[in-house]
């Protein structure tokens, strides 16, 4: 069982509209989500004064962690938006967190292979845009 509430009792703007969940735990847990929002889990037995003290002690860490999360989110969005694929040799593709160099190879059948640092794309007709 848990109990949620919004905590707005600190002057620091980073903790504005902070979602707090009371749980059966022993210590406070401060989380920074991927979108930069913060949440806290706190023990049922802890007071709001203890929560304020915990948050003031962790304010610098929270600001840095939030800044990193927002920067990561921006980099990821930019990467997705900036990459229009032409499917030509030597183009860089990301797959499972690693980058691979595309090699387009004419072949009797269509297939894809990962070999070392290369993503090999075998196509029936290199000049055709539709190789289904």
């Amino acid at each position: 069982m848990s109990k949620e509430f919004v905590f707005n009792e600190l002057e620091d703007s980073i903790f504005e509209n902070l979602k707090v969940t009371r749980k059966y735990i022993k210590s406070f847990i401060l989380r920074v989500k991927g979108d930069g929002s913060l949440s806290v889990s706190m023990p049922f037995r802890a007071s709001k004064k203890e929560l304020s003290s915990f948050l003031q002690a962790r304010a610098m860490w929270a600001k840095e962690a939030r800044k990193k999360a927002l920067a990561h989110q921006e980099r990821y969005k930019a990467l997705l938006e900036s990459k229009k694929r032409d499917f030509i040799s030597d183009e860089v593709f990301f797959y499972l967190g690693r980058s691979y160099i595309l090699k387009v190879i004419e072949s009797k059948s269509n297939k894809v292979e990962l070999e070392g640092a290369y993503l090999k794309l075998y196509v029936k007709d290199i000049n055709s845009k539709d190789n289904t």
Side-chain angles (χ1 to χ4, degrees), residues 34-93:
D35 64 355
S37 64
L38 299 171
S39 67
V40 174
S41 296
M42 68 181 278
F44 271 111
R45 61 174 166 66
S47 68
K48 287 188 177 182
K49 185 177 180 182
E50 289 174 304
L51 175 60
S52 292
S53 177
F54 170 76
L55 293 174
Q56 288 171 349
R58 304 296 190 285
M60 290 303 294
W61 176 87
K63 288 176 185 176
E64 289 298 317
R66 185 175 190 205
K67 191 167 117 179
K68 286 180 184 178
L70 293 173
H72 181 267
Q73 185 181 31
E74 289 300 315
R75 284 193 309 271
Y76 184 72
K77 282 182 182 177
L79 178 68
L80 290 179
E81 292 171 0
S82 70
K83 294 294 181 180
K84 182 182 178 286
R85 302 294 179 190
D86 293 324
F87 295 95
I88 56 174
S89 287
D90 299 324
E91 194 172 14
V92 177
F93 274 77

Side-chain angles (χ1 to χ4, degrees), residues 76-127:
Y76 184 72
K77 282 182 182 177
L79 178 68
L80 290 179
E81 292 171 0
S82 70
K83 294 294 181 180
K84 182 182 178 286
R85 302 294 179 190
D86 293 324
F87 295 95
I88 56 174
S89 287
D90 299 324
E91 194 172 14
V92 177
F93 274 77
F94 288 93
Y95 177 66
L96 297 177
R98 294 191 56 206
S99 61
Y100 295 92
I101 300 169
L102 181 69
K103 293 292 178 190
V104 180
I105 303 165
E106 195 159 355
S107 167
K108 293 180 181 177
S109 63
N110 294 331
K111 64 181 179 179
V112 178
E113 291 179 355
L114 275 177
E115 188 177 299
Y118 295 98
L119 177 66
K120 294 184 176 182
L121 178 63
Y122 294 90
V123 294
K124 291 180 185 175
D125 182 12
I126 284 184
N127 299 319

Side-chain angles (χ1 to χ4, degrees), residues 7-16 56:
F7 187 74
N8 286 319
E9 297 177 22
L10 289 178
E11 293 177 11
D12 199 338
S13 64
I14 192 167
F15 297 121
E16 194 173 306
Q56 288 171 349

